[in-house]
Amino acid sequence: MKPLCVVLLAAAALCAQDSKPSCNRCDGTYIKSEEIQAYLKRVPADVVVSDQQVRAVDVGKSNVDVGVVYRGKLSGDSPVAEHDLVSEVYHILDGSATLVTGPDITDLKRRPADDRAVRLLNGPGGNGTSIRNGKTFELKPGDVVIIPAGTGHWFTKIDDHISYLMIRIDPDKVTPPKDEAASQADLAGR
């Protein structure tokens, strides 16, 4: 091995040892299954889409948010969604759907700053009418999909319903914090 390579490897090892946690002395966050189920149970029978934030936690250099989403049967067109700053991870709990993802969004229009989703769930972004050259996924329980910020996502088919746990990665901290007390107050209707 060349001497320069040895020096670089040693320097890299020393730098790695000097790193500090980005969330120094932060507590972990635990969400019981019953709390997730309580959010799902309060979705009205005739609702088309229910996106509810359960937690929004500061983890140092980022926020990590946990939500639960229910979507009813899809009849007709649905909009393409895109979020500029927040990435999303879906873990399918129940039901099935067809989801298309991709960055080439047709007729993308910005959502207004006072839109509920912009203020409380996923920050600035837009809606479009379709995705050109997207990837299609047939979602079923247990599946996981990762949607980076700036990537369009579009449900094109939901036969009956789909529900999923939504993990939002928010490095710019555009979503407001929500702790367990705020979640319990939300569930209690306060």
Side-chain angles (χ1 to χ4, degrees):
M1 189 179 275
K2 296 188 182 208
L4 180 59
C5 291
V6 172
V7 169
L8 290 175
L9 286 173
L14 287 174
C15 288
Q17 292 174 0
D18 289 341
S19 67
K20 294 187 167 107
S22 64
C23 197
N24 192 20
R25 304 187 55 81
C26 297
D27 285 330
T29 299
Y30 172 67
I31 304 168
K32 292 181 181 180
S33 173
E34 294 84 5
E35 188 174 350
I36 299 296
Q37 293 306 314
Y39 276 96
L40 285 171
K41 286 178 185 167
R42 76 177 193 173
V43 175
D46 60 346
V47 76
V48 177
V49 178
S50 172
D51 187 340
Q52 303 176 83
Q53 196 85 295
V54 178
R55 293 282 193 293
V57 179
D58 184 338
V59 295
K61 292 183 179 179
S62 181
N63 281 353
V64 173
D65 306 345
V66 176
V68 63
V69 180
Y70 173 90
R71 292 177 179 271
K73 181 176 181 160
L74 180 61
S75 54
D77 293 331
S78 71
V80 174
E82 176 275 331
H83 315 301
D84 298 343
L85 305 172
V86 175
S87 298
E88 297 179 330
V89 179
Y90 299 177
H91 177 241
I92 310 306
L93 301 172
D94 188 46
S96 61
T98 303
L99 178 73
V100 178
T101 65
D104 193 359
I105 303 167
T106 306
D107 299 324
L108 184 64
K109 296 199 177 18
R110 307 294 300 162
R111 281 188 295 280
D114 64 350
D115 182 273
R116 176 185 175 272
V118 171
R119 288 183 300 104
L120 300 177
L121 301 174
N122 40 43
N127 292 332
T129 57
S130 65
I131 296 174
R132 289 183 286 267
N133 304 312
K135 291 184 179 178
T136 301
F137 304 99
E138 300 298 329
L139 305 178
K140 62 187 181 319
D143 289 351
V144 174
V145 178
I146 300 169
I147 303 168
T151 299
H153 41 292
W154 178 32
F155 283 95
T156 59
K157 181 180 177 189
I158 303 173
D159 287 325
D160 182 65
H161 74 281
I162 189 166
S163 59
Y164 49 98
L165 196 64
M166 165 95 68
I167 308 300
R168 293 182 171 106
I169 296 97
D170 177 13
D172 295 289
K173 300 184 178 187
V174 296
T175 59
K178 186 174 186 181
D179 62 10
E180 182 178 7
S183 178
Q184 294 303 322
D186 186 1
L187 285 169
R190 291 178 268 160

